[in-house]
Amino acid sequence: MKAGAKALLSRRMGICLFVFLFLCAPSAEADSAPGKIPILFSDHHADHAIWLLEQAGGEQVSLIVIDAHADTSLNDGRDRIRAYIRQGYYREADVLFHNHDWIHPLAPRPVDSLVWIGGLSGFPDTAKYQGFAKSTAGWDIQERRCITLDELGALSPGGNTLFVSIDLDFFYNDNCAPQDIPFVFDRLLDFSLRWTGKVVWAVCVSRAWLPAIEYAWELLEQSLAWLARRAEFAAPALTVFGKARYDTSRRAAAFRSMGIEAPGLYQKEKEMPERIRQLLEELRGRE
């Protein structure tokens, strides 16, 4: 067999092995290693809702959202979602969460504190802040704040469950870039390690809000490379390639007006760069 053919066969076998490992990877329902911070990687931000519910186990949650958008639009299906949750029908509830309104049905229980970090420093964008304040005005929660990353250290650590929800489109905003991920993640981890209660993380790529697939891969690679250097975390749970959602946001509607669906990472695992595959295999070794 020629060298080129052997290399192609070897790569195909590697991809098949990764797909097998991915299908066997811990789901959002899996338990994490004791003493380690559970972490989820998804494409859609709405995937964080059920992960939060499962990890919180009925306890109250302080939610910190790092995102270019607040995601606090009102969810018209809130009452149905909460009824499903009370009955333990998480799968039925899951389809009613959307990327722009996934937080609303979770307040005031389990989420009774919400902090949105929309930028690195300076004053929050006025229009975004006003939108956040208006959409959350009627929420019966103890705290709702819009801050920048620089102000994170002023928050007081608590003893309930801390849920850190990171949307990587933050790094296509406010002059951020993929190379800023270690700095931002380090700040978030420093705060998390001061928390006296349980800590849970979740990261989403939000491919539809990024300029190109290459930018999405770079964000994912930088995130996984940072995670590989941090022993505080469990092996990541993954829905990033295995879950599609019908997006009802205005951005998704804009794509449909052009006759196409918003781009995503669903079933794109065979297209991922080799370095991302290597990092995911390495991280699976933490189980």
Side-chain angles (χ1 to χ4, degrees):
M1 183 180 294
K2 295 182 179 180
K6 286 184 177 179
L8 179 59
L9 178 60
S10 176
R11 175 163 177 77
R12 286 178 176 174
M13 290 178 65
I15 291 173
C16 290
L17 174 60
F18 174 79
V19 173
F20 171 76
L21 291 173
F22 171 74
L23 292 174
C24 296
S27 68
E29 291 82 6
D31 293 328
S32 298
K36 300 286 187 178
I37 298 174
I39 185 169
L40 169 73
F41 276 84
S42 67
D43 187 15
H44 299 284
H45 212 157
D47 286 9
H48 293 192
I50 296 299
W51 174 248
L52 181 154
L53 288 166
E54 292 170 340
Q55 293 295 321
E59 299 297 320
Q60 289 294 88
V61 171
S62 292
L63 174 61
I64 295 181
V65 178
I66 298 87
D67 195 338
H69 316 92
D71 292 352
T72 52
S73 296
L74 301 186
N75 188 315
D76 292 337
R78 179 179 184 269
D79 292 341
R80 290 172 60 198
I81 290 172
R82 295 183 67 80
Y84 283 139
I85 291 171
R86 285 194 297 270
Q87 299 172 72
Y89 297 158
Y90 283 7
R91 181 172 298 181
E92 289 79 1
D94 186 42
V95 299
L96 300 177
F97 288 104
H98 311 107
N99 294 328
H100 60 296
D101 62 16
W102 65 276
I103 303 174
H104 178 223
L106 303 177
R109 187 170 183 86
V111 173
D112 68 347
S113 172
L114 171 62
V115 174
W116 171 42
I117 299 176
L120 289 176
S121 60
F123 294 101
D125 178 90
T126 301
K128 288 185 176 182
Y129 172 76
Q130 290 176 345
F132 170 80
K134 181 179 180 180
S135 61
T136 60
W139 297 14
D140 184 21
I141 58 178
Q142 292 187 12
E143 180 180 38
R144 54 187 181 94
R145 299 179 63 182
C146 173
I147 67 173
T148 60
L149 186 69
D150 278 352
E151 300 172 284
L152 178 63
L155 299 181
S156 299
N160 59 345
T161 295
L162 171 67
F163 192 95
V164 178
S165 176
I166 303 169
D167 191 328
L168 294 180
D169 74 2
F170 180 89
F171 299 93
Y172 186 57
N173 172 60
D174 193 32
N175 298 317
C176 290
Q179 291 71 29
D180 295 312
I181 284 176
F183 169 75
V184 174
F185 281 26
D186 282 346
R187 294 284 297 274
L188 294 169
L189 181 58
D190 288 345
F191 181 78
S192 297
L193 294 178
R194 293 192 288 117
W195 200 264
T196 58
K198 181 178 181 179
V199 176
V200 181
W201 278 38
V203 179
C204 67
V205 179
S206 287
R207 165 65 187 96
W209 293 88
L210 302 175
I213 186 66
E214 292 79 13
Y215 204 91
W217 291 136
E218 179 65 13
L219 289 170
L220 183 57
E221 179 180 335
Q222 290 285 346
S223 301
L224 294 171
W226 178 88
L227 183 63
R229 298 190 296 268
R230 305 304 316 207
E232 295 89 346
F233 290 86
L238 303 172
T239 62
V240 63
F241 302 118
K243 195 164 186 178
R245 282 188 179 273
Y246 185 80
D247 195 339
T248 60
S249 68
R250 284 180 293 181
R251 185 169 181 84
F255 278 107
R256 292 190 189 103
S257 70
M258 297 183 289
I260 58 175
E261 287 295 318
L265 295 182
Y266 178 60
Q267 295 184 338
K268 298 290 186 182
E269 61 269 26
K270 292 184 180 180
E271 301 176 20
M272 78 177 76
E274 179 70 11
R275 178 57 178 155
I276 293 178
R277 183 185 66 81
Q278 292 172 351
L279 285 166
L280 286 172
E281 290 180 354
E282 177 184 341
L283 288 164
R284 275 190 52 79
R286 294 183 176 182
E287 294 176 31

